[in-house]
Amino acid sequence: MTTPTPSPSPSSLTEEFQVTGMTCQHCVGSVVAALGKLASVEAVTVDLNSGGASTVRVTSAAALDRATVGSAVTTAGYQLA
């Protein structure tokens, strides 16, 4: 299931991350909120796979550091795959 966020600007970058541990929309909301607080993030969408790794797409004005994304996901209670 996808959680919509505002439309990104035309010059934005979109990166995909695999996140484990999410099982419901509450989980999705926690990850979207955590990633949405990162500098330059414009949009976050999630394709929930409650039986495995979920695909998280992050659109931002600048490239994101994987460690920074991982820290935000871990703070929300989940893990990058």
Side-chain angles (χ1 to χ4, degrees):
M1 186 171 287
T2 301
T3 302
T5 54
S7 297
S9 66
S11 62
S12 300
L13 304 168
T14 300
E15 299 176 72
E16 283 190 3
F17 301 92
Q18 298 298 307
V19 177
T20 59
M22 293 190 293
T23 60
C24 65
Q25 287 304 308
H26 174 75
C27 301
V28 169
S30 295
V31 170
V32 169
L35 292 173
K37 292 178 183 176
L38 298 179
S40 81
V41 169
E42 299 173 345
V44 178
T45 60
V46 175
D47 292 330
L48 181 63
N49 177 4
S50 61
S54 298
T55 301
V56 178
R57 288 178 195 84
V58 182
T59 302
S60 58
L64 298 171
D65 178 65
R66 184 174 170 83
T68 301
V69 172
S71 178
V73 168
T74 299
T75 298
Y78 309 95
Q79 298 294 318
L80 287 182

